[in-house]
Amino acid sequence: MNIIIVILLALGLGGGAYIATKSNTEVKTTAPVVEKKVVESTATSTVTNDVAPVATIAVASEVKIIAGNYKLVTNESVIGWEASKPLISGYTHKGTIGVSAGTLVVTKSAFTGSFTIDMNAIKVVSLGGGKAGKESTLESHLKGDNFFASNKFPTGTFAIDSITAIANSDAYAVKGKLTLKGVTKPVEFPVVITQSASGKITAEGPVTINRTLWGITYGSGTFFDNVANNAIDDNIKLTLKLVAQ
């Protein structure tokens, strides 16, 4: 999970990590906070569905997280998005999607959580391809039936299934289920997490999804032959920033 979230604080809590109790007393653990099953893969970057890795991230080898229940800070959490027409140079649009709710639970043996995406809070922050000034038009288009149909499906969700260590990396992969337009598909991505002195947790990571898996096929060259250079990339790049306290 500054498209779905989250959350997902794929805890980079490797062996010998420290977990503090609610009394803030740090306890040395002899096992990882989450079982460290190394993924037998050379990928050290974003992996979602059948999409190839698109970004590499670095993480701290040790993170201190206080066990407890956390609530998403919605006004500090955001999902960035980027979409393009790859056959037209410079034709890239960028924006954000709001996160309306979420919970995170950290224990000595597991990390769980879920979050809700506000599909009516889709914003356009920049337009490429000579479309500047038409931000509100694109926002309405994205909320319409050709894309996310936010009048019928006002929210999306993401729920964590598991987190595992990525081979040859300090990063951890979050695996979960992303629901958009009533369709649920598995998604996997890496995250970096930090916790401030006040106890606030921040999780950040890149995600790439193939929008057509959720039935969003408008302008896709995979599904339509007549779009030519106006084909819209099937892949949407997302950047998660999830804050919880």
Side-chain angles (χ1 to χ4, degrees):
M1 140 245 354
N2 242 308
I3 187 157
I4 234 311
I5 256 148
V6 185
I7 25 237
L8 312 222
L9 311 178
L11 304 175
L13 299 170
Y18 290 87
I19 293 296
T21 63
K22 290 183 178 180
S23 63
N24 294 325
T25 300
E26 291 181 350
V27 178
K28 177 71 174 181
T29 62
T30 57
V33 174
V34 178
E35 183 180 359
K36 191 171 184 178
K37 296 180 181 178
V38 175
V39 178
E40 295 299 330
S41 169
T42 58
T44 57
S45 56
T46 301
V47 179
T48 60
N49 304 304
D50 297 324
V51 179
V54 296
T56 299
I57 63 171
V59 299
S61 60
E62 180 180 290
V63 179
K64 294 180 180 180
I65 300 295
I66 299 173
N69 297 336
Y70 294 83
K71 182 178 179 180
L72 210 66
V73 182
T74 56
N75 64 344
E76 296 182 33
S77 300
V78 68
I79 302 170
W81 62 265
E82 179 179 317
S84 65
K85 292 184 177 181
L87 298 180
I88 302 178
S89 178
Y91 205 113
T92 299
H93 301 331
K94 298 180 181 180
T96 61
I97 308 174
V99 184
S100 59
T103 58
L104 304 169
V105 179
V106 181
T107 70
K108 291 183 178 180
S109 61
F111 184 95
T112 58
S114 63
F115 65 97
T116 302
I117 306 164
D118 185 356
M119 303 310 299
N120 280 306
I122 297 175
K123 301 294 183 184
V124 177
V125 298
S126 68
L127 291 177
K131 299 295 183 178
K134 298 182 179 180
E135 289 80 1
S136 61
T137 299
L138 180 56
E139 287 176 8
S140 297
H141 192 36
L142 293 174
K143 295 175 185 178
D145 290 344
N146 286 331
F147 284 95
F148 296 103
S150 60
N151 60 326
K152 300 176 183 177
F153 304 97
T155 62
T157 60
F158 182 85
I160 300 171
D161 286 334
S162 67
I163 61 174
T164 54
I166 297 175
N168 303 315
S169 170
D170 289 330
Y172 280 74
V174 178
K175 291 184 179 181
K177 292 182 175 63
L178 175 64
T179 300
L180 295 172
K181 296 186 73 173
V183 178
T184 301
K185 295 289 183 179
V187 174
E188 178 181 350
F189 56 93
V191 295
V192 175
I193 65 169
T194 57
Q195 186 167 31
S196 68
S198 65
K200 185 178 291 186
I201 296 173
T202 300
E204 298 181 87
V207 188
T208 297
I209 64 172
N210 182 334
R211 62 188 175 92
T212 66
L213 297 177
W214 284 267
I216 305 168
T217 60
Y218 180 85
S220 169
T222 303
F223 287 81
F224 303 99
D225 296 327
N226 60 349
V227 292
N229 288 346
N230 284 311
I232 301 170
D233 200 334
D234 290 347
N235 294 334
I236 301 174
K237 297 179 181 180
L238 305 175
T239 305
L240 302 181
K241 180 181 180 182
L242 301 164
V243 180
Q245 190 167 35

